[in-house]
Amino acid sequence: MKVIKPSVISHKIKLGIALMSSVGLLTMAGCQNTQTVQVDKPVDPRQGDISIWPTLDVAVKKDPKVEAKVAEILAGMTIEQKVAQTIQPEIGSITVEDMRKYGFGSYLNGGGSFPGANKHATPADWIKLAEDLYQASIDDSIDGSSIPTMWGTDAVHGHNNVIGATLFPHNIGLGAAHDPELIREIAEATAKEVMATGIDWVFAPTVAVVRDDRWGRTYEGYSEDPKIVHDYARSIVEGLQGPVNADFLSERRVISTVKHFLGDGGTVDGDDQGNNIDSEQDLFDLHAQGYVSGIAAGAQSVMASFNSWHGVKIHGNKYFLTDVLKEKMGFDGFVVGDWSGHGQIQGCSKENCPDAMNAGLDVYMAPNEWKVLYDNVVAQVKAGVISQQRLDDAVTRILRVKVRAGLFEKPSPANRPLAGKAELIGAPEHREVARKAVRKSLVLLKNQQNILPLKPTINVLVAGDGADNIGKQSGGWTISWQGTGNSNDDFPGGSSIWDGIEQTVKAAGGKASLSVDGSFSNKPDVAIVVFGEEPYAEGNGDVSNLEYQRGNKTDLALLRKLKAQGIPVVSVFISGRPMWVNPELNASDAFVAAWLPGSEGAGVADVLFTDESANVRYDFTGKLSYSWPAFADQGPVNVGDEDYQPLLPFGFGLTYGDKNVLASDLSEVAGSNPDSQVAEYAIFERSAQAPWALTIGTETERKAVDSKIVSLDKIQIRSIDKYVQEDARQVTWTGGQADVSLGAPFPDDLRAYTEANGVMQLDIRVDSQIPAQVWLAMNCAGECDGKLNIAPTLANYTQGQWQTLRIDLACFAKAGTDFGKVFTPFSLATDQPLQLSFAAVKLLAKPEGESNISCQ
Ligand code: BGC
Ligand code: BGC
């Protein structure tokens, strides 16, 4: 449920420092003790208190020779050539000829976008595309410009779009390692793998300080603690770019981006791309620390964030992009936008947004809409809507980075020293670093009777759907954007957690068997169960509370089944965030938070097993860099909170021999709040919310909707944009019975919603004529079916306009839905031609909205 907070913040003012605020001058000269007083100060999101922000001692100094060269190039450029430097298209929507014609300053490949749209593109294919686009960029035959372009990619846990690359643990696991030197090694290895594919620039590190673990990007952050992020940002920037004055942006290095500026980890309810309403002081103390050290270490680009601060999108906020970042902090590289992020500024669209550049954005990330945007920016500069001076400043910054990176001198991508060195992709020495990182990231939460470590000579059963699943253990941003749709074959050279266990145990003469469902013929000495979240990225991973497998506790059932047979159970939990797993903890003798370890799953067995003589090979060293929640609906729990009541605190992590601290009978009541059962429940929000899965079906077939377009004989569904990328689906029925449904193999008890007089709320858009019957149903796998004909209501809607439809759940109950065991909470069906789109599907308690349908 959304919390509405007044737009007034408590501004902390340290007495003892003379400080100007909008409420007046507070001077307490001579006062020794620092105390805090609360002064209510209305927030002006466009004009803050600049004195909060430091001027950084940036390692890369302005070099007069570089500046002279930039000025000389700039002086010879036309408006069109300059604007082209500020536009960044995506490889899927430009051709080499477009590059020749426009001479874009840069381009990107989005998550899960490959040369030739081929997931299995080889390093040679990547190099070829880099070379072709580079050559076209320096070809001045059409645009008169010969400025080399540069390629940016999301190498966020290794070079994760490339098959065979080393995939390091996601940042959440690295945070648990508390080891800045390790981060440097990882960054150095990543830079080499990126360079082997001819790419110049990476959109990393993410320096979000994550305060609400319901955020789908929690795992992209190192910690909830700004100190860890501060220390890591320096290491990763230096590892990627090389230390200033030694190897800086050499052939082995890439340009880095600290992102997403500013406040992405602190939005209300952990909403992706949401609104941060922290005070400006908290924005600095908590959310800006990665910029403080990353920029000081020489990061050459900063990515603007999708989020707002007090309702104003950062992409359009001149105060932050220009006054704070560039002028006060002294950042002299360039600011790149996020994926069409400029289009979210009020009054802007993806194709038209002078406000972003005027606010201080230097590069528009305009993956698909680059063409119209380019024309608009050119026209806006000519008309003075964007000043010449602002454009020149943006281009100066871009060229400054290109000169510093040696792009004018370096050979073309195919001729650089590391180019095409396929042996660097997934090189054994990089995998060794990743495996070490896996070992160091594991956090031991529970170890009853010191059941761990295990001897490799015993009989081990390995169960759970995460055991032999490299895709699952790698999470989002893994080959595909969401990290879904991969099989173990997509990770040549990598290892699953099972692989490591099997090798270790077999080498020692023990017995290891893999059985996903936990069945066995010979009773094992111990069961290791590997389970956890399915991969997700960005807003698709937003959840409304932290309960693991809400309404669908299949993994708990597996743990209990094994325990009931007297088998000790070791749980290895894969997740992008701490979660409420009290029932699973109770059902486990030992419990390891493994986060998202990446391609070197074998690192897990290194720690779980001793050598044959029972000597520990690697002890647990990981400590929580995120507090572990005591309740599913606890809301943000962060170290330093006044009322800090986590289940396990920040910094927690057992080592071998430590006394176990968690009781074996933790409360299994998920919520601390009695009303939490009837909080807003999203079934579909940008994507199907677990445990529900989206499918389309006809009388004879059913298909999972696992890509942007999925079709069957009589029905097709595709992703479309309502507010943000791919947050809605358009469904086309061509005639003949077919449906689109959200369902799960196990039922959910939704009676709390009928008891609260709840409604189903649905964002819907009619895109065609409405036939006589369109059925909206909630049903129970053949045992109950409550369906309503919503055609008469839809027929009143204007085509092409989004509407919010609300239906009393009582109508479904009357029609036959048994709310105690709902398998399919949403199904839309017709047998006539029809096209319509839907976005959010939610259950709400009344009186949030009136029903638009009367049911008799
Ligand atoms: C792209 C991602 C991008 C996302 C924007 C996807 O379609 O593949 O790279 O980050 O859109 O949110
Ligand atoms: C993400 C960024 C990413 C960009 C390019 C966006 O959706 O927010 O983190 O760098 O896409 O893929």
Side-chain angles (χ1 to χ4, degrees):
M1 258 202 278
K2 298 277 171 281
V3 186
I4 316 268
K5 296 196 181 139
S7 185
V8 169
I9 53 169
S10 288
H11 190 67
K12 287 183 189 158
I13 295 174
K14 304 240 171 179
L15 296 183
I17 305 166
L19 190 117
M20 186 67 132
S21 85
S22 63
V23 291
L25 185 67
L26 296 179
T27 317
M28 294 281 288
C31 174
Q32 297 301 320
N33 295 330
T34 305
Q35 323 164 355
T36 302
V37 292
Q38 304 285 327
V39 177
D40 277 345
K41 181 185 173 198
V43 172
D44 176 353
R46 297 183 186 275
Q47 192 54 63
D49 175 1
I50 198 81
S51 70
I52 288 174
W53 304 88
T55 296
L56 302 174
D57 180 15
V58 179
V60 188
K61 305 290 176 213
K62 274 219 178 75
D63 175 345
K65 276 191 264 148
V66 173
E67 298 305 307
K69 172 153 190 185
V70 169
E72 189 195 319
I73 303 170
L74 188 77
M77 291 172 79
T78 63
I79 289 179
E80 285 78 3
Q81 292 165 347
K82 289 176 184 172
V83 171
Q85 288 299 309
T86 71
I87 303 282
Q88 181 179 78
E90 209 274 341
I91 57 168
S93 59
I94 49 160
T95 61
V96 172
E97 288 318 305
D98 290 328
M99 180 61 90
R100 202 181 315 282
K101 176 165 169 204
Y102 290 89
F104 304 110
S106 61
Y107 61 98
L108 87 152
N109 71 300
S113 171
F114 324 100
N118 172 16
K119 170 171 174 177
H120 293 275
T122 62
D125 297 330
W126 288 83
I127 288 284
K128 167 129 192 353
L129 182 61
E131 181 70 11
D132 289 351
L133 288 168
Y134 173 94
Q135 292 299 347
S137 74
I138 60 168
D139 175 346
D140 61 3
S141 58
I142 307 177
D143 59 353
S145 165
S146 55
I147 299 173
T149 190
M150 53 185 175
W151 181 344
T153 195
D154 290 292
V156 299
H157 65 137
H159 197 4
N160 45 253
N161 287 295
V162 176
I163 294 275
T166 310
L167 301 180
F168 298 90
H170 267 296
N171 290 348
I172 193 169
L174 300 180
H178 290 78
D179 185 349
E181 265 320 299
L182 173 68
I183 302 306
R184 185 186 306 270
E185 285 181 63
I186 290 174
E188 284 173 351
T190 303
K192 284 191 205 153
E193 297 203 15
V194 170
M195 269 301 185
T197 56
I199 298 178
D200 312 271
W201 171 20
V202 304
F203 304 134
T206 294
V207 296
V209 173
V210 182
R211 305 296 283 180
D212 190 326
D213 304 348
R214 293 173 293 179
W215 189 30
R217 306 190 82 157
T218 297
Y219 65 83
E220 293 188 57
Y222 299 112
S223 181
E224 69 192 28
D225 173 28
K227 166 107 179 34
I228 295 182
V229 177
H230 178 276
D231 294 350
Y232 275 20
R234 172 181 302 279
S235 303
I236 187 162
V237 167
E238 287 183 358
L240 290 169
Q241 299 193 345
V244 176
N245 302 327
D247 207 30
F248 186 64
L249 293 174
S250 72
E251 283 89 359
R252 300 184 291 146
R253 309 290 184 164
V254 291
I255 297 163
S256 80
T257 307
V258 272
K259 73 183 188 184
H260 311 81
F261 186 82
L262 181 63
D264 51 352
T267 58
V268 175
D269 292 341
D271 257 358
D272 190 43
Q273 310 190 2
N275 189 19
N276 183 314
I277 55 169
D278 288 349
S279 69
E280 189 175 356
Q281 187 67 51
D282 283 350
L283 212 49
F284 174 68
D285 293 342
L286 294 174
H287 299 291
Q289 293 307 308
Y291 302 92
V292 168
S293 63
I295 292 170
Q300 293 295 294
S301 71
V302 167
M303 189 182 288
S305 186
F306 279 127
N307 68 269
S308 311
W309 188 59
H310 291 271
V312 174
K313 286 280 173 186
I314 298 283
H315 272 73
N317 195 326
K318 175 164 180 294
Y319 173 66
F320 284 112
L321 297 185
T322 300
D323 303 357
V324 169
L325 177 65
K326 293 177 174 175
E327 287 172 4
K328 187 75 191 282
M329 292 172 86
F331 171 65
D332 71 0
F334 62 83
V335 176
V336 60
D338 202 343
W339 191 274
S340 308
H342 54 270
Q344 296 187 23
I345 300 171
Q346 209 181 356
C348 281
S349 69
K350 295 177 187 175
E351 295 82 12
N352 186 1
C353 190
D355 296 15
M357 188 172 281
N358 284 335
L361 192 88
D362 302 309
V363 176
Y364 288 92
M365 188 184 283
N368 307 308
E369 62 281 2
W370 55 269
K371 200 175 215 154
V372 182
L373 182 70
Y374 167 87
D375 289 340
N376 281 330
V377 178
V378 169
Q380 284 151 357
V381 173
K382 290 186 174 166
V385 178
I386 298 171
S387 69
Q388 268 282 0
Q389 198 192 358
R390 175 73 267 276
L391 177 66
D392 284 353
D393 172 56
V395 178
T396 297
R397 289 167 177 275
I398 297 163
L399 294 177
R400 179 182 292 137
V401 173
K402 289 187 175 184
V403 174
R404 283 176 176 164
L407 286 184
F408 291 90
E409 285 94 45
K410 279 180 183 165
S412 67
N415 296 301
R416 294 179 191 159
L418 304 189
K421 291 213 152 119
E423 66 275 19
L424 285 174
I425 306 288
E429 59 275 22
H430 299 169
R431 293 190 188 278
E432 209 27 74
V433 175
R435 185 162 170 168
K436 176 168 77 177
V438 173
R439 294 191 293 258
K440 297 190 105 178
S441 66
L442 304 174
V443 184
L444 182 58
L445 303 185
K446 178 173 180 179
N447 194 15
Q448 235 166 9
Q449 279 143 9
N450 288 309
I451 177 174
L452 288 178
L454 302 170
K455 276 193 25 188
T457 44
I458 56 177
N459 177 6
V460 187
L461 176 74
V462 181
D465 67 4
D468 192 25
N469 193 337
I470 308 179
K472 178 159 174 154
Q473 79 197 23
S474 298
W477 296 106
T478 296
I479 310 178
S480 62
W481 176 37
Q482 293 296 315
T484 49
N486 298 316
S487 71
N488 284 356
D489 294 343
D490 294 321
F491 301 91
S495 55
S496 68
I497 292 173
W498 154 251
D499 289 332
I501 297 173
E502 184 188 30
Q503 267 171 25
T504 308
V505 172
K506 291 210 168 141
K511 185 167 179 272
S513 37
L514 175 68
S515 157
V516 171
D517 68 1
S519 55
F520 52 81
S521 38
N522 292 322
K523 187 170 169 189
D525 299 316
V526 67
I528 300 177
V529 186
V530 188
F531 61 95
E533 288 187 297
E534 292 303 323
Y536 52 78
E538 302 191 40
N540 287 339
D542 284 3
V543 289
S544 54
N545 80 46
L546 293 177
E547 180 171 357
Y548 178 63
Q549 288 198 324
R550 182 175 199 266
N552 186 32
K553 297 206 184 296
T554 51
D555 291 320
L556 178 62
L558 173 58
L559 302 177
R560 285 185 175 157
K561 182 175 89 178
L562 291 163
K563 263 210 110 155
Q565 296 169 88
I567 302 164
V569 172
V570 174
S571 286
V572 176
F573 185 54
I574 294 172
S575 71
R577 51 166 70 97
M579 299 197 83
W580 185 79
V581 285
N582 281 10
E584 290 81 2
L585 280 163
N586 287 340
S588 310
D589 296 278
F591 196 101
V592 178
W595 315 112
L596 298 167
S599 64
E600 307 312 304
V604 174
D606 291 347
V607 181
L608 297 187
F609 289 91
T610 64
D611 68 12
E612 288 164 45
S613 338
N615 299 313
V616 170
R617 297 182 301 163
Y618 298 96
D619 200 345
F620 279 92
T621 56
K623 306 284 176 209
L624 293 179
S625 64
Y626 286 80
S627 306
W628 201 276
F631 298 101
D633 61 351
Q634 199 169 6
V637 189
N638 293 298
V639 61
D641 288 353
E642 259 167 44
D643 184 24
Y644 183 54
Q645 297 193 3
L647 179 72
L648 292 167
F650 176 88
F652 181 85
L654 298 172
T655 60
Y656 284 141
D658 282 354
K659 199 168 160 331
N660 183 55
V661 297
L662 274 186
S664 50
D665 58 349
L666 299 171
S667 161
E668 300 199 356
V669 178
S672 56
N673 168 3
D675 294 333
S676 64
Q677 292 304 316
V678 289
E680 171 179 309
Y681 181 21
I683 294 169
F684 184 94
E685 194 166 31
R686 299 188 190 190
S687 63
Q689 299 296 297
W692 313 111
L694 187 64
T695 59
I696 52 172
T698 63
E699 274 154 357
T700 51
E701 256 181 297
R702 182 153 299 279
K703 229 181 184 176
V705 179
D706 55 5
S707 56
K708 294 188 190 187
I709 302 187
V710 176
S711 314
L712 279 176
D713 200 10
K714 302 178 177 107
I715 185 166
Q716 186 193 68
I717 183 164
R718 63 185 190 97
S719 301
I720 58 167
D721 301 351
K722 184 181 176 215
Y723 294 120
V724 298
Q725 311 88 310
E726 301 176 26
D727 58 345
R729 301 290 181 277
Q730 186 177 56
V731 192
T732 310
W733 283 261
T734 50
Q737 185 66 32
D739 68 86
V740 54
S741 296
L742 286 157
F746 297 91
D748 202 359
D749 180 350
L750 298 173
R751 280 174 296 192
Y753 290 89
T754 44
E755 282 155 17
N757 298 320
V759 294
M760 176 193 283
Q761 175 177 299
L762 170 67
D763 291 350
I764 199 159
R765 190 183 72 189
V766 167
D767 298 326
S768 73
Q769 289 286 330
I770 298 296
Q773 288 173 335
V774 179
W775 297 104
L776 178 63
M778 297 183 81
N779 58 46
C780 330
E783 287 175 43
C784 81
D785 189 15
K787 58 177 189 176
L788 307 170
N789 182 13
I790 60 169
T793 309
L794 297 184
N796 289 327
Y797 289 169
T798 312
Q799 273 188 35
Q801 263 179 31
W802 284 100
Q803 306 279 351
T804 302
L805 176 61
R806 287 195 199 87
I807 304 153
D808 281 332
L809 294 179
C811 297
F812 291 101
K814 223 177 246 175
T817 305
D818 174 354
F819 276 86
K821 48 172 184 189
V822 176
F823 283 80
T824 306
F826 169 87
S827 170
L828 258 182
T830 184
D831 58 6
Q832 297 297 312
L834 167 67
Q835 187 171 61
L836 54 77
S837 303
F838 67 93
V841 181
K842 291 177 177 175
L843 303 186
L844 308 175
K846 278 227 166 162
E848 299 228 9
E850 290 305 306
S851 169
N852 320 109
I853 288 200
S854 58
C855 64
Q856 266 79 44

